[in-house]
Amino acid sequence: MLSRIAESLFWIGRYLERADDTARILDVQMQVLVEDPGMDERTSCEQLLSVMGVEEYTGTPNRWMILDLLAHNPESDTSIAAAIGASRESARRAREILSTDIWAAINTTWRGLGTARSMRPPDMFEWVRNRMAMISGTAAETMSRDEGWQFYMLGRSIERADMTARLLSTAALASGPQVAWPTTLRACGAYEAFIRAYRGIEADRQAAEFLLLDRWFPRSIVSSLVQAEKALDKLANVGPRSGFSDEAQRVLGRARTELEYRPLEELVFDLPVEMERLQRSCAAASEAISHRYFTDHDLYEWTGGVVL
């Protein structure tokens, strides 16, 4: 497979997942602000901007500012609109191997951004999630399970681990966990699965454990890291007799084992710090993948967040 095609597929997966998860994070933030009147809006918005890697902005942070910076503004590198636009550009570069259905789904989503901006925030977030789910389903039904699929899934899985870490940081920083954690579970589509897994017990510790460590739920961090490792394993030609010659596999494997084998109490004691460490691991893995597989990897880089 040509390097530019592999790179485009990798970033299609990342950009689409970034748009989806940013909508989920914003949905959590907006609901918490509405449901917890005692929360300081400025502090909460500043924390969210920090979690999302937005360091430079003008004015006092509030819900309307974060909607502009993280949702509507195509000039903001961390916005949903920018991620969808970048996914379309990546799809255009890989047009010769993408099915017509995938291209049409991505292009239609990009063209619908203007209408989405006029929606109420909850309706826009739902629209983004539905469009991303449709594109993911179309890709799953129309792409051969070849190298292209592995690069697509690799990008998607790394981005999902990173963005779920940001979502957990957002929930942990909220002043009212009794509001934040149920909302976070619903934003991940995990509430019903969580209730079944823990037989109706709703507690912050169990919610964090489920989104961090559950191997069966596809949006958990460990599940995403396992999926990324599987994709890398299938892309590797011949494995070494000992250790890992693939730096990305080593970085992701170490991040996963540090989550799985450490006591949960240590992880949740300072969850934002632990999630920032995981984001750095995802960034290092992405850089290693770029150096190994992509010749012109500087073409695609996150400029507004921790992830490259």
Side-chain angles (χ1 to χ4, degrees), residues 230-284:
K230 287 180 179 178
L232 282 169
D233 187 58
K234 291 180 180 179
L235 288 170
N237 294 323
V238 180
R241 294 184 63 176
S242 62
F244 289 96
S245 61
D246 190 320
E247 177 66 11
Q249 278 187 303
R250 188 190 65 79
V251 170
L252 293 177
R254 179 176 180 178
R256 176 180 54 79
T257 53
E258 284 184 350
L259 289 176
E260 289 189 300
Y261 291 98
R262 286 178 63 191
L264 182 63
E265 290 76 12
E266 290 185 12
L267 293 175
V268 300
F269 177 74
D270 197 353
L271 194 57
V273 172
E274 297 296 335
M275 294 301 95
E276 184 178 352
R277 182 179 293 120
L278 177 64
Q279 291 164 36
R280 289 197 295 269
S281 296
C282 290

Side-chain angles (χ1 to χ4, degrees), residues 58-303:
T58 57
T60 301
N62 55 44
R63 67 189 71 189
W64 309 116
M65 175 186 285
I66 64 173
L67 276 175
D68 179 65
L69 289 175
L70 301 180
H72 300 308
N73 189 351
E75 302 301 320
S76 172
D77 297 313
T78 54
S79 72
I80 294 171
I84 292 175
S87 71
R88 180 182 181 272
E89 179 62 20
S90 297
R92 188 184 64 80
R93 294 176 183 274
R95 183 67 187 88
E96 63 264 36
I97 69 164
L98 287 180
S99 70
T100 301
D101 290 339
I102 297 176
W103 165 253
I106 294 174
N107 191 49
T108 300
T109 302
W110 176 75
R111 292 174 65 86
L113 283 173
T115 302
R117 291 189 188 99
S118 64
M119 297 177 181
R120 295 173 56 250
D123 295 333
M124 180 193 175
F125 303 147
E126 183 178 5
W127 177 82
V128 172
R129 292 197 302 268
N130 289 340
R131 293 301 304 181
M132 296 304 106
M134 190 200 71
I135 295 171
S136 296
T138 302
E141 294 299 322
T142 61
M143 290 182 70
S144 298
R145 282 4 184 211
D146 55 8
E147 287 183 330
W149 171 260
Q150 302 304 331
F151 278 113
Y152 166 79
M153 287 301 298
L154 179 58
R156 178 182 171 186
S157 299
I158 290 176
E159 190 66 26
R160 177 170 290 184
D162 175 87
M163 294 300 286
T164 302
R166 294 173 192 263
L167 190 62
L168 289 171
S169 295
T170 302
L173 291 168
S175 63
Q178 70 281 3
V179 175
W181 283 110
T183 304
T184 301
L185 287 166
R186 288 188 174 93
C188 290
Y191 188 75
E192 288 79 8
F194 169 75
I195 291 297
R196 287 195 297 271
Y198 288 89
R199 292 176 170 81
I201 298 174
E202 294 187 48
D204 300 343
R205 182 183 184 279
Q206 282 77 12
E209 180 180 41
F210 187 77
L211 293 176
L212 278 168
L213 303 174
D214 193 276
R215 296 185 184 92
W216 291 356
F217 185 68
R219 299 199 73 88
S220 78
I221 290 178
V222 163
S223 178
S224 299
L225 292 174
V226 167
Q227 183 63 55
E229 289 179 81
K230 287 180 179 178
L232 282 169
D233 187 58
K234 291 180 180 179
L235 288 170
N237 294 323
V238 180
R241 294 184 63 176
S242 62
F244 289 96
S245 61
D246 190 320
E247 177 66 11
Q249 278 187 303
R250 188 190 65 79
V251 170
L252 293 177
R254 179 176 180 178
R256 176 180 54 79
T257 53
E258 284 184 350
L259 289 176
E260 289 189 300
Y261 291 98
R262 286 178 63 191
L264 182 63
E265 290 76 12
E266 290 185 12
L267 293 175
V268 300
F269 177 74
D270 197 353
L271 194 57
V273 172
E274 297 296 335
M275 294 301 95
E276 184 178 352
R277 182 179 293 120
L278 177 64
Q279 291 164 36
R280 289 197 295 269
S281 296
C282 290
S286 181
E287 184 69 17
I289 291 164
S290 296
H291 281 298
R292 175 164 183 174
Y293 293 106
F294 312 141
T295 55
D296 299 320
H297 65 275
D298 288 339
L299 178 64
Y300 297 96
E301 289 187 348
W302 289 122
T303 57

